[in-house]
Amino acid sequence: MFSGHWELTFSTDRERVTGVSCGALPVHVYELGTERPAGGTRRYYALEEPFAVAGPLVAAVVRDGDGTAGTEPLDELVPAVEPFAVVRRC
């Protein structure tokens, strides 16, 4: 939790994230930037919500090169939250 918002940053290699969900709950995702190391593109993202999200997160992705769509699980989180913070489990 930071300034009353839950935040998480992550990166992808050779994939573009088109959305993130936690069960039926969509999570706000923002692309922070990209870099182009040898062999592909690395993209950086941030998730942000006014509540802590607890549960399995799944990213919808489009793979670089062939453009196929798919999903990738993100590690399940146990959020560190401030006392009395709102937590939504999915």
Side-chain angles (χ1 to χ4, degrees):
M1 297 293 289
F2 177 76
S3 299
H5 286 84
W6 171 82
E7 297 177 356
L8 171 74
T9 58
F10 66 98
S11 64
T12 63
D13 288 321
R14 297 178 300 277
E15 294 177 324
R16 181 175 48 88
V17 174
T18 59
V20 174
S21 62
C22 186
L25 175 70
V27 179
H28 291 99
V29 60
Y30 305 94
E31 186 171 337
L32 299 174
T34 61
E35 66 178 340
R36 290 184 169 57
T41 300
R42 179 171 295 129
R43 294 173 176 90
Y44 296 91
Y45 295 91
L47 304 178
E48 181 182 47
E49 288 294 344
F51 47 82
V53 176
L57 296 169
V58 177
V61 299
V62 174
R63 293 178 177 87
D64 293 350
D66 63 8
T68 58
T71 59
E72 295 289 339
L74 301 175
D75 291 337
E76 185 165 346
L77 304 171
V78 178
V81 296
E82 298 170 0
F84 309 108
V86 176
V87 177
R88 291 202 182 163
R89 179 164 265 305
C90 49

